[in-house]
Amino acid sequence: MTKPLRDNRDFRLLWLSGLFAVLGGQMSALALPLLVLKETGSPVRAGAVGTVCVGAVLITMLPGGVMADRVERRRLMRICDVCSLAVVTALAAAVWYGHAPMALVLLVAAAAAVIGTVYGPAVFGLMRAVVPADQMGAATARLQARTQTVRLVGPLVGGALFGVHPALPFAVEAVGLLLSTLCVALVRTRSRAVTKAQGVFSRRELTAGLTFLWKIPYLRTVLLVFGLGMNFGFGALTFTALTAFSDGGRSGVGGGFVLTSVSAGALAGALIAPKLNPDRHTRALIIATCWVCVAAAGVMAWSGQPLVAGVVCALSMCLSTVASIGFLSKLLIVTPEDRVGRVQSAAGFLSSVVQPLGPLAGGALLTAAGARWAFALTGCVLALSALVVTFAPSARTEPAPDREAGHQGPADPVPEHPPVPGQPDQTPAGTNRAT
C-alpha cells in the first residue's frame, strides 16, 4: 500500500526547501527594482531588472533542461542553492555598506534567472523519483498551493523589510536559501538519467524536449493552444482589465482588485485541486478553462465594474490552475526518466515565449479600439483556442503513462557517488523556481 504524502519524508523536505527559496525569491523580486529606483531615481533602469530576468530565462531555459538530465538532480539542486546563496549574500553585503552598483544588481538578477532554469527541471525530475505516479496530482497541487501562498505574502514582507533597511530582504533571502540547501541535503532519494546525453549545447540535446512534445499529438496541441495561446490571450485580458479599471492611471484600486483576484483564484485552484483529481480529468478541465476565459472576456466587455471583472478573472484563474496542475502531473508521468528535465524545460519555454507579448497586445487593442472592443477581440482569440482544444482530434486522446512511471514508487536511497553505466549522474528556480 502506498503511504500518504504526509508520511513521505523526502517530499516534505522538497516542499520545505521550495518554501524557503520561493519566499526569498518573491521578496527580492520586489526589492531589486525598488533598490534600483531608490539608488538611481530612474524607472527605466528599475524596469531593466525585469527585462534582464525574462531574457536570461528564455535564453537558458532549454540548456537548463539538458543540465537537469546530465547531473544527479539532488546534487544539482544543492549546487544551485549554494550559487544563489553566494550571489544574494554578496548583494546584501553591498547594500548594507551602501554601495550596490547597477552592474551588480543586474548580475544578481541574471544569475537568479539562470540558476532557476536549471533548478526547476531538477526539482520536477527528483519529485518523480520521490512521489508515486498515482500521487503526482496531489503532490503537484501541494507545491502549487505553497507557491501561490508565498506569492501573495512574499512581496508584502519584502516591501516591509525594505522599508526598514534596503539590505534586509536580501539578508532574509540568504537565510532562506541556507535553509533550502539544508533541506535538500537531507533528501535521501537520488535521481539520474538512464542513457548518455550528448554535449549540453548540441542541437539534438537542446531540442530533445521539444521533439518529444511535438511527436505526441495531444501534448503538442495542448501546449500550443492552452499553454501558448491561452497564456497570450489571458495576459492581454488581465492587462486590459488592469488599465481599463484603473481610470487611466488615476486610481489603482480597480486594477489592483483585479490582479489580487487573479492571485486569489490561483491559490484557490491549487487548494481545491487535490479534491478534483486533476490528472484524471485533465482534458475536461482544460476545455472548461478555455470556455470560462471566453465567457470572462464577454462579461468584461459587457460590464464596466471592477468587482465583476475580478470575480470572473478569479474563476478563470482558479480553473486554469487546476487544469495546469493536471497537465503537469500527466506530463511528468508520460515522460521517460532520462528526458524529464528537457521536456519540462521545453514545456515551460513554449508556455512562456509569447507571454510578455500579451500585455503589449492588450495595450495596443485598448489604445486603438477602447476597452469594450479590446475585451471583445481578446475574447475572439480565446474562443478560437477553445474551439481547437474542444474539437481537434489530436486533443482527444491522452498519452499513456511511461512504463517506468506507471510502476514507480519512491526510489530507494542510493550511495552519493555510485558508478553509473553509460551516463553521468542525472538531475519550472533560484529566485524564480517553478515549484
Side-chain angles (χ1 to χ4, degrees):
M1 181 177 177
T2 304
K3 61 182 179 182
L5 281 176
R6 64 176 177 273
D7 297 331
N8 188 327
R9 174 185 178 275
D10 283 353
F11 176 75
R12 294 201 311 269
L13 287 170
L14 284 178
W15 191 93
L16 284 173
S17 170
L19 175 67
F20 295 132
V22 175
L23 179 60
Q26 288 298 308
M27 289 191 295
S28 67
L30 176 69
L32 276 175
L34 288 180
L35 176 64
V36 175
L37 193 60
K38 178 178 180 294
E39 295 292 328
T40 67
S42 171
V44 175
R45 293 190 178 185
V49 174
T51 302
V52 167
C53 288
V54 172
V57 166
L58 292 178
I59 291 170
T60 60
M61 188 173 286
L62 295 180
V66 178
M67 288 298 297
D69 283 340
R70 293 198 59 165
V71 181
E72 196 277 311
R73 288 171 178 142
R74 173 181 167 274
R75 186 185 308 160
L76 186 60
M77 291 165 60
R78 291 164 61 188
I79 293 172
C80 288
D81 271 335
V82 170
C83 292
S84 296
L85 177 61
V87 296
V88 170
T89 301
L91 179 62
V95 176
W96 181 263
Y97 288 107
H99 182 65
M102 184 67 180
L104 177 61
V105 174
L106 293 179
L107 177 63
V108 170
V114 171
I115 290 169
T117 62
V118 178
Y119 191 97
V123 172
F124 284 119
L126 183 58
M127 191 173 77
R128 177 172 150 155
V130 167
V131 178
D134 60 353
Q135 293 182 336
M136 196 64 72
T140 306
R142 293 190 183 187
L143 295 179
Q144 287 289 335
R146 176 208 63 197
T147 300
Q148 296 300 336
T149 302
V150 170
R151 284 178 176 171
L152 286 175
V153 175
L156 295 176
V157 176
L161 292 175
F162 189 89
V164 177
H165 193 285
L168 280 180
F170 308 110
V172 173
E173 182 184 8
V175 174
L177 287 168
L178 178 60
L179 293 174
S180 175
T181 305
L182 292 175
C183 288
V184 174
L186 292 173
V187 173
R188 296 170 180 164
T189 306
R190 305 292 187 271
S191 177
R192 66 185 88 273
V194 177
T195 59
K196 186 174 182 178
Q198 304 297 318
V200 173
F201 298 107
S202 71
R203 186 175 66 177
R204 179 177 179 181
E205 289 303 297
L206 289 175
T207 60
L210 294 171
T211 301
F212 175 81
L213 294 171
W214 188 260
K215 287 182 177 179
I216 300 178
Y218 173 83
L219 298 180
R220 179 176 70 231
T221 302
V222 171
L223 275 170
L224 289 179
V225 177
F226 182 68
L228 194 151
M230 293 297 292
N231 265 350
F232 173 83
F234 195 72
L237 190 69
T238 52
F239 182 82
T240 302
L242 169 64
T243 307
F245 298 127
S246 293
D247 194 21
R250 290 183 289 274
S251 170
V253 176
F257 175 75
V258 172
L259 294 186
T260 300
S261 299
V262 170
S263 297
L267 175 59
L271 291 174
I272 67 174
K275 299 178 175 60
L276 300 178
N277 294 319
D279 50 324
R280 299 178 186 176
H281 310 288
T282 305
R283 182 171 182 268
L285 288 167
I286 289 174
I287 292 174
T289 299
C290 291
W291 287 111
V292 167
C293 287
V294 174
V299 169
M300 284 190 278
W302 168 76
S303 171
Q305 298 299 318
L307 178 62
V308 175
V311 170
V312 295
C313 282
L315 178 59
S316 300
M317 196 63 193
C318 178
L319 272 175
S320 176
T321 301
V322 177
S324 297
I325 289 171
F327 180 77
L328 177 58
S329 304
K330 187 169 293 294
L331 185 61
L332 280 171
I333 293 171
V334 303
T335 303
E337 171 66 17
D338 63 321
R339 277 174 277 181
V340 171
R342 286 165 289 176
V343 170
Q344 289 297 318
S345 292
F349 181 82
L350 288 176
S351 298
S352 305
V353 68
V354 299
Q355 196 167 3
L357 300 178
L360 182 63
L365 288 174
L366 189 61
T367 302
R372 179 160 295 182
W373 277 105
F375 286 128
L377 292 173
T378 303
C380 291
V381 174
L382 293 171
L384 179 62
S385 299
L387 286 169
V388 174
V389 169
T390 304
F391 297 108
S394 58
R396 297 179 183 176
T397 305
E398 298 183 359
D402 180 60
R403 285 178 298 176
E404 292 182 7
H407 299 87
Q408 188 164 339
D412 295 329
V414 297
E416 177 88 26
H417 303 288
V420 183
Q423 161 147 1
D425 294 343
Q426 173 187 351
T427 84
T431 59
N432 187 30
R433 292 179 182 175
T435 56

